Amino acid sequence: MKVSGLTFPDLKKWVTADLGMKPYRARQLFSWIHLKRVTSFYQMTDISLSARNRLDRVGEITALAICDTITADDGTLKYSFTLGDGEVIESVLIPDPPRLTACISTQAGCRRACTFCQTGRGGFRRDLRTDEIVAQLYGLQNSTDDRISNVVFMGMGEPMDNFPALSDALSIISDDRGICIGARKITVSTIGIPGGIGRLAQLDGQYGLAVSLHSAVESTRRKLMPVSRTMSLQELKRDLMDYVSRKSRRITLEYCLIAGINDTIEEAEALVEFAGDIECKINLLIYNPVEGAPYRRPDIESVNRFMHYLYPRCQAVILRRSRGSDIAAACGQLGPSARNTSAT
Ligand code: SF4
């Protein structure tokens, strides 16, 4: 059993029903694994040796080996982790005092094939299990003395495509018996797949939601993100408005400006129209070149023109600094062959 991938209720069930142990053992185990972050049952000194022997025979605590770390000029750190089967995934740690944000992957590769994204270009290899998602976060936390304050599911993969593992990981990392990162400090970023946002809305926590919009013009969005052929902008907007009203939380629209594709005034008008009645913040990013992709960064004049069109017409617009672009750790740049050129 991959014990470190069990939510507290599932752990309690396993400990009592399958192992016949007392319920308090579940709390001890959860705290050792998710608060003290031990990786062996033998480190759990308040559990009897016979119980530890048994746990070691039937259970497993996942730890991921860091195989590479690169630091960007702005202090952003990109980590590569090797999974048990040899797959390599990437995660990013973004220091921005007082915040320290961990950007976590949910899949090895991605099947969504967004045309601007390095991960998408590398194809899909497999979903991560809950224990692997959680182990990434603990690997990052163990590498620094500062406490990780925020988590964004914005690394490799489309989180909604791996929803069961995502949902359990959310439950584990926001549990106050463990690493305890509050739901409001955790953001799930999606390109918007049918049913995905609705499933997230049904979870208990007030998790943040970021949507990679990148265009509010159907034909442009389809070019950038093939998934939008299966979910129209109208359907996406309905799901977003539903999320806002269920969670009483403003959402974030991510919009990556790409030269000549989505940085025109017509695109800005469409964005204003789309965002107008959604309680949202718009994060503008500037495209980071990806090897082999047919796109360019926009020049500063078109970025300014786009921003100045939005400013008086939208509730909140932020031009976000892209972190880690010199080490291929910025949005859309994570992937097996991404180096020095910089997902959802
Ligand atoms: S942008 Fe996100 S969903 Fe699209 S290919 Fe990249 S990782 Fe996958």
Side-chain angles (χ1 to χ4, degrees), residues 110 112-114 116-117 119-120 157-158 191 343-344:
C110 182
R112 292 300 174 173
C114 300
F116 55 87
C117 172
T119 310
E158 162 55 54
I191 53 170
T344 304

Side-chain angles (χ1 to χ4, degrees), residues 107 109-121 155-159 161 190-191 212 214 225 332 343-344:
Q107 298 180 307
C110 182
R111 62 167 68 89
R112 292 300 174 173
C114 300
T115 54
F116 55 87
C117 172
Q118 183 70 32
T119 310
R121 297 176 78 78
M156 297 167 75
E158 162 55 54
D161 275 339
T190 176
I191 53 170
S212 299
H214 305 325
M225 307 156 96
T344 304

Side-chain angles (χ1 to χ4, degrees), residues 128-179:
L128 300 192
R129 300 184 312 264
T130 305
D131 56 295
E132 292 170 324
I133 297 174
V134 168
Q136 256 178 100
L137 177 63
Y138 299 168
L140 297 180
Q141 182 60 85
N142 292 340
S143 74
T144 171
D145 291 336
D146 298 321
R147 186 177 191 274
I148 291 174
S149 59
N150 295 65
V151 174
V152 291
F153 286 88
M154 207 181 270
M156 297 167 75
E158 162 55 54
M160 304 302 191
D161 275 339
N162 189 12
F163 195 79
L166 169 74
S167 154
D168 284 354
L170 289 171
S171 165
I172 291 170
I173 65 181
S174 60
D175 194 311
D176 56 14
R177 289 162 285 220
I179 195 167

